[in-house]
């Protein structure tokens, strides 16, 4: 029987109640702060910060994003992650100006899918903490795929999604061929990828692409509220739930039952489970610490 890659990381889920809110940029090689990182209320907020280019992803920005996500994964003060974009877009996907230069140089995509996009998506999906995407505007191509890789997607009513790969003669990347069928079903995923039509927030909600749609002015507050709620929950159990779901997606019921048993044995030994059981018997609300 295949086993999950690893047990939920107890260290990564331990909160530091004494930690003060912190904020710092993740500067690229040119000194640009195109990805911001801050921790508050147990939530690591990762912000794509290139609003003048609709947060289109350059090589340096992708490297900074991966660094920020890995930092969130390993940050003991962060028990949930909130990913968003600055300005009017969540992320417009690949920076086509940089890509055009690569085409002129004869290097095509310059291996950016394997070197950058794949590690970013695997870090999001493999995060032992809940990840919330606050989709504040356009999410296109790899930007849409990035949102789909998150556990929750709270969208502004002005948000739009576009699987724009086919429009520029490319196949999907950043996990879209895996996440889309699981969100909307294989037939609709095929339609979205082949036709590339833009999907507005209301339709995205009906299709199951997003968790909720809120007025644009309320997006930051509502997404943060959800992230804080998750940060106050049983972090290790959340990691185990994510692991069980990912494993079962590609394995038999029998193998999935065995993995569930392994993960349940792990969770049963956590302090969160013990304290929650005591709270239940005492008829009081549990206070989770992520350990």
């Amino acid at each position: 029987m295949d086993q999950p890659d690893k047990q939920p990381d107890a260290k990564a889920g331990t909160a530091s109640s004494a930690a003060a809110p912190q904020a710092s940029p993740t500067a690229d090689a040119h000194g640009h702060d195109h990805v911001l990182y801050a921790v508050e209320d147990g939530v690591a907020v990762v912000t794509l910060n290139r609003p003048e280019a609709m947060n289109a992803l350059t090589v340096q920005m992708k490297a900074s994003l991966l660094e920020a996500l890995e930092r969130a994964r390993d940050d003991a003060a962060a028990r949930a992650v909130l990913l968003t974009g600055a300005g009017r877009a969540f992320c417009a996907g690949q920076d086509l100006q940089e890509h055009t230069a690569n085409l002129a140089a004869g290097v095509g995509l310059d291996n950016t899918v394997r070197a950058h996009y794949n590690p970013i998506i695997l870090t999001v999906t493999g995060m032992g903490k809940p990840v919330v995407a606050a989709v504040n505007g356009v999410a296109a191509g790899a930007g849409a795929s990035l949102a789909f890789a998150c556990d929750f997607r709270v969208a502004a009513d002005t948000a739009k999604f576009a699987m724009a790969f086919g429009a520029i003669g490319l196949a999907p990347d950043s996990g879209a061929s895996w996440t889309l069928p699981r969100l909307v079903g294989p037939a609709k995923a095929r339609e979205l990828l082949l036709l590339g039509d833009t999907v507005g927030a209301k339709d995205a909600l009906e299709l199951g692409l997003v968790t909720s749609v809120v007025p644009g002015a309320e997006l930051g507050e509502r997404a943060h509220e959800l992230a804080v709620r998750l940060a106050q929950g049983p972090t290790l159990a959340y990691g185990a739930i994510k692991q069980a779901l990912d494993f079962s997606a590609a394995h038999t019921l029998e193998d999935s039952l065995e993995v569930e048993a392994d993960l349940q044995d792990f969770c049963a030994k956590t302090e969160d489970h013990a304290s929650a059981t005591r709270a239940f018997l005492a008829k009081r609300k549990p206070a989770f610490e992520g350990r």
Side-chain angles (χ1 to χ4, degrees), residues 227-252:
V228 170
R229 173 184 172 183
L230 293 164
Q232 294 173 347
T235 313
L236 299 180
Y238 288 158
I241 291 169
K242 292 176 62 171
Q243 206 168 322
L245 288 170
D246 289 343
F247 184 87
S248 68
H251 293 83
T252 65

Side-chain angles (χ1 to χ4, degrees), residues 80 110 118 162 186 191-192 215 219 240 263 271:
D110 200 21
N118 289 359
E191 176 187 329
L192 292 174
L219 177 66
L263 292 170
E271 177 57 32

Side-chain angles (χ1 to χ4, degrees), residues 21-86:
Q22 50 186 303
S24 62
T26 302
D28 65 20
H30 304 289
H32 300 304
D33 301 337
H34 286 162
V35 178
L36 304 179
Y37 182 92
V39 176
E40 186 172 4
D41 300 324
V43 177
V45 182
V46 177
T47 305
L48 303 175
N49 187 41
R50 197 175 171 230
E52 72 282 0
M54 298 179 70
N55 299 316
L57 297 166
T58 62
V59 166
Q60 290 293 341
M61 192 172 173
K62 284 175 273 192
S64 295
L65 175 57
L66 179 59
E67 179 184 339
L69 291 169
E70 291 175 337
R71 182 176 175 184
R73 177 195 64 198
D74 299 332
D75 194 338
R79 289 171 52 192
V81 181
L82 179 60
L83 178 62
T84 192

